[in-house]
Amino acid sequence: MARWDAILSLPVQNPPTLEISSDELVWSKVEGWHHKLDTVALIPFARVDDFVRGQSNNKECPTRFYVRTRRRHRPPSTPLKQKVDGTLDYILYWCSFGPDDPRKGGVVPPKKKNAGRPNTKRGCTCHFIVKRLKAKPSVALITYNNDKHVDEKGLPCHGPQDNKAAGTPAEFAPYISEDLRLRVLSLLYVGVSVETIMDRHNESVKKQGGPRNRDDLLTHRYVRRQERAIHRSTYELDTDDSVSICMWVESHQSNVFFYEDFSDSDPFILGIQTEWQLQQMIRFGNRGLVASDSRFGTNKLKYPVHSLLVFNSDKKAIPVAWIITPKFSCLEAHRWMRALYNRVRTKDPTWKLAGFVVDDPQYDVLAIREGGIYSTLLSTTTILDVFQCSVLISFWRVRHSWHKNITKCLETGIQIKISRRLGWIMDKISRSQGTMSLFEDFVEDFIDESNFMDYFKATWYPRMGAWVDALRTLPISSQESCAAIELYHNQLKIRLLNEKDINVYQRADWLVDKLVTKVHSYFWLDECSDKDDFARYWKNEWMSGLTSWRKALKIPDTNVLMEDGCAKVDDEDEQDKAYIVSNPGSMLSICDCCWAKDGNLCEHILKVLSICRSRGSVLSSISLLQYRQALNTMLHCPPFDSLLRDHAVSLAVSVQKQLNTLLDKESIQTAVEPNEKRIVIDIHQESSRVVSATQDQALVCERHAVDDILSRDGDGAAVCGTSNITGKSMDHGNTRNEKPSEIAGEESFHADMDVDPSSICVPSSGLYFIDEIADGAL
């Protein structure tokens, strides 16, 4: 009993890394059998595979551990007294180079079946035991007495330390790495031939002067075998779609984080997340944003796809989870959200989300902020802690739909009028200066334009009440994140909906299979550093590149010219080609480029909007305005508690430094005036305030520049002179102000800044969340 008392009193260790190495754990010595001491440690049972991978990827001696023995104890049919030393699972992991030793003088014990390939056996004694205890079913007890890769004589038997293994496969790991395996599979799924894969691989090995690791020993036979397995696989495991899905879930448990079959009260829900997607969510979602694209394939697919996205270092969207359900219901998000959160936190207990971007005003915000579980007995909402983060609303889907139908249904002059009016309405509502009555007036004023108004009244008018409430209460995500989500949506459309037989769109098993094979492969290759080696074999599905926001950063200011109330943007590649942007500076500007005609937010619109804001002809972005209002409230109303107040002050200083850094990095190369303003936070005797670099006035002073947007001529073209946008002077005929433009405190930020508040207001390495500070203080 003393042995088990010592074991059960050990702390459960859970390092915040994707893989767990033995060096990251604190090992303890406890009394074992035959009066020997066992080296043991406790980790979560859900992370046993991470420990196995960490040990296999040991740099000093790379190998692969396999299951040599596994015993599962079934629970008794009758209740018995609980045993302290009882185990639910017993798993013996052994190095692939042992324990048999077919070398000269080695020992090969007789057995029915050889474990592993005989030519890899070299008598390695390294192994460890994993036990799942009945007393703590969620914990794994690891006994690691033989942690050296040596044979029975105590000599190195494989790896770099074994001189006899030099020049042989035993010098490296017995199998290729997981990264190379995914690379090979992804290239095969997207249509690259076996010969091409091997040619590129052999060229890279030759350039480096020969093999240096196990991945360099990739064989043609292995790649050909993977190709045959792909060709033989089929998505239709059963003629019944629901049965086929159940069979797929049973055989792909590692890729499923949530599954509920049809029932009398609840619909079918399947949550998919591969190991790579989980790693990306941990890497880019920690202290970052997760965005929702909730309605892909509503018109074509039997089951729409709900995607969760994170943003990488290039601010491109990466899918980290797919949720499939017959009809997405925003109020059902709590059913799978808790499971996804627990899956991530199991890998990294320190993982926290800064913000969640939704694209539906009826989304279950409580489930995101604090979690909601609906009680079937009490019909009430029980608040639980889930993400504990800010919730932002994205307007990209509405803008995309409006823009696409405006350009399709109306003439150019009417397009400009309606888009300007709708942009003005959304701007007023987002700034809490308008209500639903603005849409009522809009419908009455344009009742004659039946082509667009019939669509608007049938599709959007019933929903606008919820959208108005959401825009007035939730922060709006930046156009940078909207451009990234829009690019992902188009990528998914090209990569998924490209089948010749459209009947497959009505099967869920086809959808699941293609998402985790071909679609997953395309997005995996997007993040691969050497994907350009296969550029000559790219197809339309490989469409990638920068987002519209990033493309706008590369357009020089000299390429933009204001002319007759419109903006002319010269093409960078073809100097004799230019694009016309109507309603410059509006939320619903119109461009005549191909990308914008499909309803997308193009780089020309973003470039013109950025310059208009930098020159003060339009107001700053809604997201930046809401961020400054929140910052101003925090600075002028600090908490009374000293700990919270100190944290608020340090957060404000950190935000000042981060934001000024972002202004320098992400400015669109606009001409900087000598009196350009910066954020300066003056902290004096526990009070905080924001001042301008040139004048001391209030942080938020709204100019009503958009009020006379509708006061233009009937054709929407204001009379203004031609002026290069980078010049020092600008014709005031293009400024949409009722009053002379005043440089207010609101313009104390760089005007082209439009980033999500949660992406800035994130604790840096020296700044932590309140609960972390409180835990440390206690």
Side-chain angles (χ1 to χ4, degrees), residues 270-340:
L270 174 61
I272 302 173
Q273 185 181 59
T274 65
E275 182 67 25
W276 176 77
Q277 289 178 313
L278 176 60
Q279 294 174 4
Q280 303 308 302
M281 187 171 185
I282 294 175
R283 178 184 177 186
F284 296 112
N286 191 23
R287 270 70 173 177
L289 294 176
V290 168
S292 170
D293 180 15
S294 62
R295 297 186 182 278
F296 178 86
T298 306
N299 298 327
K300 289 189 177 181
L301 298 176
K302 178 182 179 181
Y303 297 155
V305 179
H306 179 194
S307 303
L308 294 185
L309 314 171
V310 295
F311 304 98
N312 63 6
S313 55
D314 294 329
K315 303 303 179 183
K316 292 177 59 178
I318 304 175
V320 293
W322 289 303
I323 297 91
I324 300 173
T325 185
K327 184 177 181 181
F328 174 71
S329 175
C330 297
L331 297 178
E332 299 292 336
H334 67 279
R335 299 177 60 191
W336 50 263
M337 199 169 289
R338 167 63 72 177
L340 179 63

Side-chain angles (χ1 to χ4, degrees), residues 130-181:
V130 176
K131 292 182 181 180
R132 188 179 184 184
L133 306 178
K134 289 183 178 179
K136 291 184 176 182
S138 62
V139 175
L141 171 64
I142 301 179
T143 305
Y144 209 165
N145 293 334
N146 300 82
D147 59 345
K148 303 297 183 183
H149 291 273
V150 296
D151 55 18
E152 293 291 344
K153 300 178 181 178
L155 301 176
C157 54
H158 65 93
Q161 298 178 355
D162 184 11
N163 296 329
K164 296 181 180 180
T168 67
E171 183 181 2
F172 311 112
Y175 303 95
I176 64 175
S177 64
E178 182 67 13
D179 185 76
L180 180 59
R181 188 187 71 85

Side-chain angles (χ1 to χ4, degrees), residues 14-250:
N14 192 6
T17 54
L18 297 178
E19 296 177 351
I20 301 178
S21 172
S22 60
D23 297 335
E24 298 174 336
L25 301 179
V26 178
W27 297 91
S28 303
K29 297 288 186 178
V30 298
E31 182 181 355
W33 302 106
H34 304 292
H35 303 287
K36 295 183 179 180
L37 293 178
D38 289 339
T39 304
V40 299
L42 297 180
I43 66 171
F45 188 79
R47 303 210 61 188
V48 169
D49 291 340
D50 298 335
F51 180 78
V52 175
R53 282 195 297 268
Q55 290 305 105
S56 299
N57 297 332
N58 186 0
K59 295 182 180 180
E60 296 181 357
C61 193
T63 182
R64 182 71 61 85
F65 284 86
Y66 70 96
V67 178
R68 183 171 177 83
T69 305
R70 179 161 191 169
R71 295 193 298 267
R72 293 181 178 177
H73 300 273
R74 296 181 179 180
S77 56
T78 58
L80 300 175
K81 183 178 180 181
Q82 185 81 1
K83 292 184 178 180
V84 176
D85 58 346
T87 59
L88 297 174
D89 279 293
Y90 174 93
I91 311 174
L92 172 60
Y93 289 92
W94 209 291
C95 174
S96 292
F97 290 97
D100 301 347
D101 191 1
R103 299 177 300 175
K104 184 177 180 180
V107 178
V108 181
K111 53 182 177 295
K112 296 181 180 180
K113 183 178 180 181
N114 289 328
R117 294 176 294 181
N119 58 342
T120 65
K121 301 300 180 180
R122 300 177 68 87
C124 184
T125 61
C126 182
H127 66 278
F128 57 88
I129 300 172
V130 176
K131 292 182 181 180
R132 188 179 184 184
L133 306 178
K134 289 183 178 179
K136 291 184 176 182
S138 62
V139 175
L141 171 64
I142 301 179
T143 305
Y144 209 165
N145 293 334
N146 300 82
D147 59 345
K148 303 297 183 183
H149 291 273
V150 296
D151 55 18
E152 293 291 344
K153 300 178 181 178
L155 301 176
C157 54
H158 65 93
Q161 298 178 355
D162 184 11
N163 296 329
K164 296 181 180 180
T168 67
E171 183 181 2
F172 311 112
Y175 303 95
I176 64 175
S177 64
E178 182 67 13
D179 185 76
L180 180 59
R181 188 187 71 85
L182 284 176
R183 182 171 179 264
V184 170
L185 288 176
S186 298
L187 291 172
L188 291 174
Y189 275 124
V190 301
V192 181
S193 65
V194 175
E195 288 72 18
T196 302
I197 295 175
M198 290 307 304
D199 289 344
R200 297 295 177 270
H201 177 78
N202 293 334
E203 289 176 4
S204 62
V205 174
K206 186 177 180 180
K207 286 181 180 179
Q208 69 182 16
R212 297 179 180 178
N213 52 49
R214 179 60 183 86
D215 289 350
D216 295 337
L217 302 178
L218 179 69
T219 62
H220 186 281
R221 178 184 177 185
Y222 173 83
V223 181
R224 180 69 69 183
R225 188 166 62 246
Q226 299 300 317
E227 182 192 42
R228 286 197 299 265
I230 291 175
H231 290 331
R232 293 172 182 173
S233 63
T234 177
Y235 67 84
E236 191 173 347
L237 303 179
D238 191 272
T239 55
D240 189 333
D241 195 19
S242 60
V243 175
S244 181
I245 284 290
C246 292
M247 296 174 63
W248 185 91
V249 170
E250 291 178 359

Side-chain angles (χ1 to χ4, degrees), residues 353-364:
L353 194 61
F356 197 105
V357 182
V358 300
D359 62 349
D360 193 312
Q362 297 179 345
Y363 216 104
D364 190 0

Side-chain angles (χ1 to χ4, degrees), residues 516-771:
V516 298
T517 54
K518 287 190 176 181
V519 175
H520 182 274
S521 298
Y522 281 118
F523 286 106
W524 190 92
L525 290 172
D526 286 343
E527 301 301 309
C528 184
S529 58
D530 55 353
K531 69 173 183 177
D532 292 336
D533 295 342
F534 301 89
R536 59 180 296 186
Y537 305 99
W538 288 3
K539 303 177 182 179
N540 293 334
E541 292 84 350
W542 285 56
M543 188 274 294
S544 184
L546 300 175
T547 65
S548 298
W549 176 271
R550 293 286 172 169
K551 291 179 180 178
L553 297 177
K554 297 181 177 296
I555 300 177
D557 292 351
T558 54
N559 285 20
V560 182
L561 189 71
M562 286 295 182
E563 187 176 21
D564 296 334
C566 299
K568 180 181 177 182
V569 184
D570 295 332
D571 190 274
E572 291 186 81
D573 300 326
E574 302 178 20
Q575 294 298 329
D576 58 341
K577 187 176 182 180
Y579 303 98
I580 304 301
V581 177
S582 305
N583 298 333
S586 171
M587 293 180 65
L588 287 174
S589 300
I590 295 179
C591 181
D592 59 356
C593 70
C594 297
W595 185 251
K597 287 181 179 179
D598 292 335
N600 301 308
L601 190 63
C602 69
E603 63 270 23
H604 313 110
I605 294 177
L606 292 173
K607 178 63 179 181
V608 172
L609 178 60
S610 171
I611 292 182
C612 289
R613 286 173 177 168
S614 67
R615 304 303 300 176
S617 59
V618 297
L619 295 178
S620 60
S621 65
I622 304 297
S623 58
L624 188 58
L625 168 66
Q626 294 171 336
Y627 168 71
R628 288 200 292 262
Q629 290 174 341
L631 179 62
N632 185 47
T633 302
M634 181 184 68
L635 293 176
H636 286 80
C637 303
F640 291 101
D641 182 81
S642 61
L643 179 62
L644 300 182
R645 182 173 61 251
D646 293 343
H647 175 75
V649 171
S650 61
L651 176 61
V653 174
S654 175
V655 166
Q656 173 195 357
K657 296 179 180 179
Q658 294 181 50
L659 188 54
N660 287 336
T661 302
L662 287 174
L663 295 177
D664 296 333
K665 289 183 178 180
E666 304 206 5
S667 97
I668 314 181
Q669 302 171 355
T670 55
V672 180
E673 298 293 342
N675 62 343
E676 178 182 337
K677 299 180 175 53
R678 283 280 191 243
I679 305 174
V680 180
I681 299 178
D682 183 17
I683 303 174
H684 179 64
Q685 294 182 355
E686 303 178 350
S687 66
S688 304
R689 55 191 175 90
V690 176
V691 297
S692 171
T694 58
Q695 49 189 318
D696 183 10
Q697 50 184 308
L699 174 67
V700 179
C701 181
E702 275 299 301
R703 293 177 303 154
H704 302 284
V706 295
D707 285 346
D708 81 325
I709 286 182
L710 306 179
S711 64
R712 295 190 175 190
D713 296 339
D715 60 355
V719 179
C720 66
T722 301
S723 172
N724 191 303
I725 200 65
T726 58
K728 295 184 178 180
S729 62
M730 173 177 280
D731 196 325
H732 291 287
N734 188 53
T735 305
R736 308 170 186 176
N737 295 16
E738 289 183 340
K739 302 178 182 180
S741 176
E742 299 179 3
I743 305 299
E746 179 187 331
E747 300 301 320
S748 61
F749 289 75
H750 203 292
D752 64 5
M753 187 65 179
D754 185 22
V755 296
D756 292 305
S758 298
S759 65
I760 301 176
C761 209
V762 178
S764 59
S765 59
L767 190 62
Y768 303 94
F769 285 97
I770 291 295
D771 55 354

